[in-house]
Structures are given as C-alpha cells and as structure tokens.
Amino acid sequence: MARVNTVLGPIPSEELGFVAVHEHIGYGMPGSELDTRWWKSPEQRYEETVPKLRAFHENCKPYGAATFVDATGICNGRDIPYYQSLSEKTGVHIVASTGFVGGDTALPFFERASVDYLTDQFLHEITVGIAGTGAKAGIIKVGVSRGFKMKELDLRIYRAAARAALATGVPIFTHLAVDVEPAIEVFHDEGLPLHRVLFGHADDGVSQGKVRDTWIADQGGRIGFDTFGYDLELPDPPFWGRPRQERLDHFLRYVQGGRVDSVLASADANCSPLGWPGVKGHTVNYLFEVLIPALREAGVDDDTITRIFVDLPAAFLSLQTPSPTTSPS
Amino acid sequence: MTGTVNTVLGPVPSADLGVVAVHERLVSVVPGAQFAYDVRIDRAEVFEAVAAQLRAFRAAGGGTVVDSTGMFHGRDVRLLEALSRATGVHLVASTGMGPEAMLGGYFLTPQTNPPTPWPADRFADLFTAEVTEGMVVPRVERRGLAGLAVTATTRGGRTATDESLLLGVARTALTTGVPASLRSDDVDDLDVVLKEGLPAHRVAVVADDPLAVVERGAYAVLTDPARVLELVDAGHAERVLLTTGGVGVSFGEDAPTASYADLTTALPRDVATQVLVANPRDLLAIEKR
C-alpha cells in the first residue's frame, strides 16, 4: 500500500485527493521571531489561516480530500503542533517537511553539521518524528541560497537529503531550480532517480533565463510550477513575481506539449506569514479561483487537471524505495 | 558611582549587587541546536543544574550573575526570572548578538532584492527596544529589561555585519545608558565603539590583549586570576573584571562548566572588593546622559 506521512499520521495515497504540493502555513527567516514588527497574536494567526484552509477544503471536495504540503523547513517557523491542530479542525491533510529551504536558512548548529549528521536529522524526522511530536515528515526540503549560486552548505544538505530519500522513500522538493547542474550531480552520485525530486520555483519571475527546465525534465526531474499567483499584475508584487499570462503560457507548453507528467503545480502562498508582510490576497485557493478556470479556458480537460493535482502528486508523495539509478560509490 | 541596574526581576540599586560574576553564560544554546534531533532540552533539569550553581555562589557570598549570551544564544527570560526568585541571586540579562556567523538568515539574507544585510541602525533599534520595552520571548511577549548590550566579532577580522553589530550595540548603550560588552580579538573593534561616542568606561571587552583595553579606559574581562593581579599591580585595578569563562549549561557544543562560587575566593580580599564588587557596580549602573 502506498502511504504518505501527514502531521496526523500516515494515510493511504488514495486519500490525498487534491494536492497543493508547495505551500506554507507560515514562513519566516530564522531570527525574524526576534523582531516584534511581525508578531501576531494566536487569535490573529488562526483568524488568518483557518478560513483559507476551510475554503481550500471546500474547493477540493470534487476531488475527494484536500492535501496541503507545507514547505517550511527546519528553522523557518515550522510549527508541528499548530499544524496538527489546524489539520484536525479543518479536515485538510497537512504534510510537513524536514530539511531546509536553503543553506542560508540553516542556523549555525546545522551549518557546522556533517552530511552524516544532516542525514540522521532528516531520517529521524521522517521515521521517528519531528521535535517530539510524533508527526513524521513526508518530504524533504532543500534549496539554493540567495544569489542564484549553489553554495557548499546547500550541496551538503542536498546530499544528506538524497541519502535520506533513498533510505526512507520520501521525495525531495527544492527551493529554486537555478544552478541545477551540481544538484543533479549529487542526485546521480547518490543514486536517487530524478522523478523523486521536484525542482521548485522553475516558474518564478527572477529565475527566468536561469532555469534549464526542459533539460531537467528530459532527465526525469519534476518541474515545479509552484509560484502560481505571484503575478506582476498585483498591486504590490514581490520581486519574484512574473506576468500572469507568461507563467500560464510556460505551464501550457508542458501540459499541452506532451510533458504533463513532468509538472506539479502549487501557489507557494502563506496562510499567515511569520517574518515578512506576505502578499495580500494571495492564497492557496488561487489554484481554484484563477488557475483552473484559466486552464479550462485554454482547453485543458478535467482529466488532465485531475492528473496534475491528484494523480501525479500522489505518485510523487507516496513513500517508495526507488531502485537506485547507479550504485553509489 | 551608583545608580540602578536592570535585573530580570526589575531595577535594583547598583550598590546592592554585591559580588558579581560579570560576563557569564548561564544557559547557552548554539542557534539551531534547539531543533536538533539528538539535543534534549529539559527545562526542569536545566533549572536544577543552574540553580545549584547559583545557590553555591550565594552561599559563598555571591550576589549577582550577568548573563552575556545576548538574545539569540539560548536566552530564556522566564527561566532566568524563576532562577533569580528561587536562588536570591540577582540576574542581569543582555540584548545583542554576534558575531555574524551566529546570526539568523533574517539579518543576513533578508527577503529583499538584493538581500542586503541589516545596517547598524536596525540593530540599534532592535537592541534598544529590549532595554526600553523589554526582552523578547519570541513571538509571545516582552518581559523584563535588558541590563547590557553585547556582541562579538569574528576571529581573524570583523565582517561588515560585525561592524554593524558593534555600532548597533554602541548606539544602544548611548541611547539607554546600559553598558556594552564585546568579545573581540582586535582592539580596533573597541575603537569602532569608542569612535561612535560611547565613553570607554561604559564598555567591557573580552580581549586577547587586555592591556590595550585598559589603556583605552575600558574594562578588560579576564578569566585568569593571576592575569587580574598582574594588571592590578600595573595600576589598572579599576578597569579589570574577572569571570569564570565557563557555561552554566551548554547545548550544541561542549563547554567547561562554570563555578560562580570559585570566583569569591579567587582573589585577595582587597582586590576582590575592587574587581568583583566596585568595578561591576560602576559598569552596570545605568548612566543617563
């Protein structure tokens, strides 16, 4: 049976339903918790978050259940007991991640850590639980530090993630798909098939011209169109925003060009951001309010939409022990 | 000179501090170690271990311990309050952080384009609010007022962010009247603080070259009683401080355990009165300008 770790325990992948594969309950850079300008009362955090998750749950009903994959790694405000309460009260499955958004979000203790230690950290969070909660991570987050250049610490985290993914069968998703050659080298080196990796934010505005997305897809990697909704048409768009139509056209080239199985899609929205203002009005429900209608208008049929948001993520998230591509040396 | 000192339980006249362990780390957590799968922080155990050390200090005649870990290395204001209440030892907590390598990404690669590290003024605002409005219990509340502002510089040469931190600490001390403390291997770091206008007698430095520190009129923090006596003999009794160099309880790295009680017998009585009582009293008293 294919299973997926959620914060309330493992569930069969058949129960996932509609999956938003790269989202955040709340994200903040490490240290932002010291700056009171961002603080919110617990009442405010629940008020900002619960209605979005309930709407997501309603929107997902035609697909069965609702699954929200939280991409907030260690040190960025990941808060498992909070996620558990949200999941229990709203009915949304929440998958938590181990790993780090990037080397520059790993605090000094982990910056000093070896590949072996980082591997053990990820293994523990996937097989035993996160921070004494009993909730097991369902996916590993890795990423590229600011500056579009893979750093040594980033790669140490990628290698540990590859080993933990091979040992446990959980997949990996990345923050940014730029400077991807060294990452792919690490995955090859460790023997992790690239279909176990979602190369995220391949669709964002600042990455364009720096992402070899078809090159990644040709090797079996999954391409993350996972910043849907960060549109430059917004009143105050973030620096990674992109013209709405341009992103959609990019996505459609995959979906209508025979590469639908290479994509996964999400909105990367914060329900209630922790250490930054967030982007007003942008929620996970963009997927239903804007993206799916736009796909239908472009002629994408319902089976394909179900494939993108139900079948492909279920296969990706299912714990599986992949056959190594090569024997690790 | 007398005045008041911010302790975790409120302002205390500096004359009441008694024998002071002036530059200690009561609970030290390497940033991130609190999330490590094999680090278990049992608050009751931490409390018991530190409380035992503080009770021994008090029984030996000690009065005050200054925690100089800053705001991002395991500081736990609520625990410090409980420790002070339970043991009767005055505890002074600090704001500040450093060196750069000990900071969180929020300060170094913020979500702006480009990701420009924080400048001095933002650090000054962050630290000053901890002295005037209260120290943060992250995302929960502010409690108690910080009694000093601390930072450290990178061994082998300060970074641009280290310099911003030095200036931030200097401005905090200037604005609020609390002292500044630095851990630094280059006396030029002290000069950065002094050039900002902070008088030398408002600064304590854990330095490789304590003589250069006292010659500038700042306080040198030492861990070796023999070195203290050398500097006293050289005429610097009023600018020398003694600390254990140990840690109450450490997570994420090995560190020698502090014995605060040992401080009380480390120096001849007359020297101890100057170095462990009078000097910390003068340094810690808030000096309004």
Side-chain angles (χ1 to χ4, degrees), chain A residues 24-28 37-38 40 48 52 229-230 234-240 268-283, chain B residues 111:
Chain A
H24 296 277
I25 297 293
Y27 171 89
R37 68 183 290 199
W38 306 116
K40 293 169 183 172
E48 289 181 1
K52 291 167 191 163
Y230 287 116
L234 289 166
D236 187 17
F239 67 81
W240 59 88
D268 192 24
N270 277 234
C271 292
S272 178
L274 289 176
W276 63 299
V279 172
K280 211 172 165 51
H282 179 47
T283 81
Chain B
Q111 281 166 277

Side-chain angles (χ1 to χ4, degrees), chain B residues 78-160:
Chain B
R78 290 178 292 195
L79 193 74
L80 295 177
E81 287 173 19
L83 282 164
S84 182
R85 267 194 214 98
T87 64
V89 174
H90 296 301
L91 298 180
V92 178
S94 51
T95 186
M97 52 185 150
E100 177 179 328
M102 285 297 119
L103 267 53
Y106 177 67
F107 305 102
L108 300 171
T109 51
Q111 281 166 277
T112 53
N113 199 28
T116 310
W118 270 35
D121 274 342
R122 292 192 70 188
F123 285 122
D125 289 347
L126 188 77
F127 303 156
T128 297
E130 287 225 309
V131 181
T132 58
E133 296 168 40
M135 292 178 282
V136 300
V137 177
R139 294 197 181 108
V140 177
E141 60 180 333
R142 288 189 184 273
R143 290 179 79 97
L145 304 179
L148 71 163
V150 304
T151 190
T153 52
T154 307
R155 285 199 80 82
R158 68 170 177 269
T159 66

Side-chain angles (χ1 to χ4, degrees), chain A residues 51-112:
Chain A
K52 291 167 191 163
L53 292 180
R54 281 168 59 84
F56 179 59
H57 189 255
E58 282 305 299
N59 283 327
C60 290
K61 272 198 173 152
Y63 302 87
T67 298
F68 185 104
V69 182
D70 185 86
T72 307
I74 304 166
C75 306
N76 282 309
R78 188 185 60 173
D79 186 345
I80 301 301
Y82 178 49
Y83 302 170
Q84 288 172 320
S85 82
L86 291 169
S87 177
E88 194 172 45
K89 299 299 184 286
T90 65
V92 173
H93 300 303
I94 298 178
V95 176
S97 53
T98 184
F100 301 94
V101 171
D104 52 7
T105 74
L107 282 167
F109 179 85
F110 295 107
E111 188 180 353
R112 297 172 181 178

Side-chain angles (χ1 to χ4, degrees), chain B residues 26 64 100 105 151 240 252:
Chain B
L26 286 165
T64 302
E100 177 179 328
T151 190
V240 187

